[in-house]
Amino acid sequence: MAKILVTGGAGYIGSHTCLELLNTGHDVVVLDNLSNSSVESLNRVQQLAQKSLKFVEGDIRDSQILDRIFQENTIDAVIHFAGLKAVGESQQIPLAYFDNNIAGSISLVQAMERAQVFKLVFSSSATVYDEANISPLNEEMPTGMPSNNYGYTKLIVEQILEKLAIADTRWSIALLRYFNPVGAHKSGQIGEDPRGIPNNLMPYVTQVAVGRREKLSIFGNDYNTVDGTGVRDYIHVVDLANAHLCALNNRLTSQGCRAWNIGTGNGSSVLQVKNTFEQVNGINIAFEFVSRREGDVATSFADNKRAIEELGWAPQYGLEDMLADSWKWQKQNPHGYG
Ligand code: NAD
Ligand code: WQD
C-alpha cells in the first residue's frame, strides 16, 4: 500500500477519494487551505473509514509547507485536486484563478521534483475540449481555447504537465478529464457543500428540494437536444473517486503523461435530471425556463472507452443512484457541514 498526498482533499471530490483510499488500505496526507471546504468533511471520512489520515492546513503555493510534508512523510504519489473551480468567478477575478490553479500546480510539481516524487494524478475537466467537437468526446479530439478563465487554467496545467513529462521521463502523470460529478457517499455523511448560491445544477436542485431556494432556473429550452435543455454526462462522485485509485495503480507502473475521460458515456438533459430527481425522491422541484447561460454548450458527454480499457475502471452507478444519493446527503445535512 502506498502513502498518498491529496491536495484539496477536504473538498467535494477529494473527500470521497480520501475515503476510498483509506478503505483500500492506503495512507493519506491531505493538504488543504480550507478556502472552499470544511475540516468536518475529513472528520467524517475518518469516522466512515474507521481509520485516520494526516491533515495539514496550508496552501499548495507555500513551498515550505510542501517541503515539510515531503520531508516528514514518505510520499509515493500525489493526487492534486486543490484549486478554484467557479466558472463565473473566474471571469471576475482571473488572477486568483491563475495563481491558485496554475502557479499552485507549478509550486506543487516543483516540490515533488525536489522530493523526487514523480507520480501525479491531476483533476482536469471536459471543459478542455474544443467546443466544435461533437459528443461523445474522446481523448484524441483536439483541445480548444475554453470560453472562461477557469477552463483556461485546466488547459494550461495539462499542457505544462505534458511538457514536463516529455522533458523528464521520470514523471508519470494522469490527466483525468471529469465530466459532471454529482452524487454523494451512500452514507449521506459526506457530499457537495458549495458556498453561497450554487453554480452547478445538482446542488441547486437539492437546495430547492430542501427549501433553501425557491425554484430552479433552467438555462435555455431551445437547444438542439432531446427536449431543448442542455445535455451533460453526470458521473457519480464515488465512481469518480475510484477512477483516481485506478489511475494511481496505472501510474505506479507507467511513465509519461496521458489523459483519460471520466464519465458514464451517457448524456442526460436538465429536464431529465429534474424529472428523475422528482420520481426517485418523491419531491417536486419548482422551476422556470430562463435564457441560456453564456458559455454553455448544448451537449457534452464522454467516450469513456480509454479509461475502461486502460485503467480497468468502470462506472457502477446510474443517474437514479446519483440523484438518490445527492438527496440523501442534502436531506441529512440541510446546511451542508454547517
Ligand atoms: P472543491 O472546491 O470542493 O475542492 C477543492 C479543494 O481545494 C477545496 O477543499 C479547497 O479548500 C482546496 N483549495 C483551493 N485552493 C487551494 C490552495 N491554493 N491550496 C490548498 N488547497 C486549496 O472542488 P471539487 O469539486 O472537489 O473539485 C476538485 C478538483 O476537481 C478541482 O481542481 C476542480 O477544478 C476539478 N474539477 C471539478 C469538477 C466539478 O464539477 N466539481 C469538474 C471538473 C474538474
Ligand atoms: C449543467 C447543466 C446548465 C445550473 C461546469 C463547468 C465545468 C465543470 C463542471 C469543473 C447545463 C444547466 C445549471 C442551473 C441549469 N466544472 N443548469 N440551471 O456547465 O456542464 O459544467 O461544471 O471543471 O467546467 O463549466 O455544469 O452543473 O453548471 O450545468 O439549467 O441553475 O445544467 O445550463 O446545461 P456544466 P453545471
Side-chain angles (χ1 to χ4, degrees):
M1 287 301 121
K3 186 173 269 197
I4 313 298
L5 171 61
V6 182
T7 74
Y12 172 46
I13 306 166
S15 56
H16 287 82
T17 305
C18 286
L19 179 56
E20 298 304 313
L21 287 167
L22 291 176
N23 282 343
T24 46
H26 295 292
D27 289 326
V28 175
V29 180
V30 169
L31 173 64
D32 198 303
N33 66 3
L34 303 180
S35 62
N36 196 39
S37 54
S38 156
V39 76
E40 177 60 15
S41 64
L42 294 176
N43 295 337
R44 297 195 187 177
V45 163
Q46 293 173 95
Q47 281 161 16
L48 288 165
Q50 292 291 300
K51 280 184 198 153
S52 55
L53 53 71
K54 191 182 279 189
F55 171 59
V56 180
E57 183 173 346
D59 201 294
I60 52 169
R61 294 164 294 179
D62 182 339
S63 47
Q64 282 183 350
I65 286 191
L66 285 167
D67 285 345
R68 205 188 73 216
I69 289 173
F70 285 111
Q71 277 154 20
E72 291 177 359
N73 305 278
T74 312
I75 301 290
D76 298 296
V78 178
I79 305 181
H80 175 33
F81 295 105
L84 303 180
K85 64 161 183 178
V87 169
E89 185 187 62
S90 76
Q91 300 302 93
Q92 313 300 324
I93 48 168
L95 280 177
Y97 278 71
F98 302 153
D99 193 29
N100 276 274
N101 295 8
I102 303 174
S105 296
I106 293 172
S107 161
L108 175 67
V109 291
Q110 284 174 327
M112 289 175 68
E113 186 178 72
R114 287 193 294 276
Q116 304 278 294
V117 176
F118 295 105
K119 312 271 181 214
L120 175 67
V121 179
F122 173 62
S123 298
S124 188
S125 169
T127 192
V128 300
Y129 285 110
D130 193 306
E131 284 180 11
N133 294 312
I134 308 282
S135 290
L137 301 173
N138 71 57
E139 297 87 346
E140 301 292 330
M141 288 177 169
T143 55
M145 176 50 77
S147 62
N148 61 79
N149 294 321
Y150 164 75
Y152 173 72
T153 66
K154 291 292 168 191
L155 182 65
I156 294 293
V157 174
E158 275 206 1
Q159 291 175 348
I160 287 170
L161 296 176
E162 277 161 10
K163 289 179 195 305
L164 183 62
I166 291 169
D168 183 343
T169 55
R170 290 174 299 178
W171 283 96
S172 182
I173 301 173
L175 310 173
L176 298 188
R177 293 176 177 165
Y178 313 160
F179 280 68
N180 289 59
V182 298
H185 187 256
K186 286 276 169 220
S187 64
Q189 286 294 299
I190 55 173
E192 186 170 15
D193 183 20
R195 293 195 173 161
I197 300 170
N199 302 301
N200 296 112
L201 177 65
M202 189 50 52
Y204 210 102
V205 168
T206 60
Q207 289 195 10
V208 172
V210 84
R212 281 171 65 181
R213 313 266 159 213
E214 190 194 337
K215 61 183 165 200
L216 170 70
S217 297
I218 297 186
F219 301 141
N221 61 349
D222 57 353
Y223 286 108
N224 183 18
T225 61
V226 58
D227 54 25
T229 65
V231 167
R232 297 290 183 275
D233 187 339
Y234 297 94
I235 172 83
H236 197 294
V237 66
V238 173
D239 278 332
L240 177 56
N242 280 315
H244 292 78
L245 276 69
C246 295
L248 208 60
N249 278 340
N250 174 282
R251 292 294 90 185
L252 291 174
T253 53
S254 320
Q255 284 173 317
C257 181
R258 191 155 171 83
W260 288 276
N261 286 340
I262 307 296
T264 61
N266 302 311
S268 304
S269 75
V270 179
L271 275 177
Q272 286 168 341
V273 168
K274 181 196 83 70
N275 294 339
T276 310
F277 186 93
E278 292 177 329
Q279 282 156 19
V280 168
N281 298 315
I283 294 172
N284 189 47
I285 301 295
F287 77 99
E288 63 175 343
F289 291 117
V290 300
S291 46
R292 293 179 177 191
R293 182 173 64 180
E294 203 184 315
D296 275 358
V297 296
T299 299
S300 168
F301 59 93
D303 176 336
N304 60 9
K305 279 190 218 77
R306 186 188 278 188
I308 289 171
E309 284 165 13
E310 296 182 2
L311 300 181
W313 169 84
Q316 306 295 317
Y317 299 108
L319 187 64
E320 296 190 354
D321 303 299
M322 302 180 210
L323 301 177
D325 295 340
S326 289
W327 177 230
K328 185 173 186 192
W329 149 254
Q330 187 76 81
K331 195 171 43 173
Q332 286 181 198
N333 304 272
H335 295 282
Y337 292 111

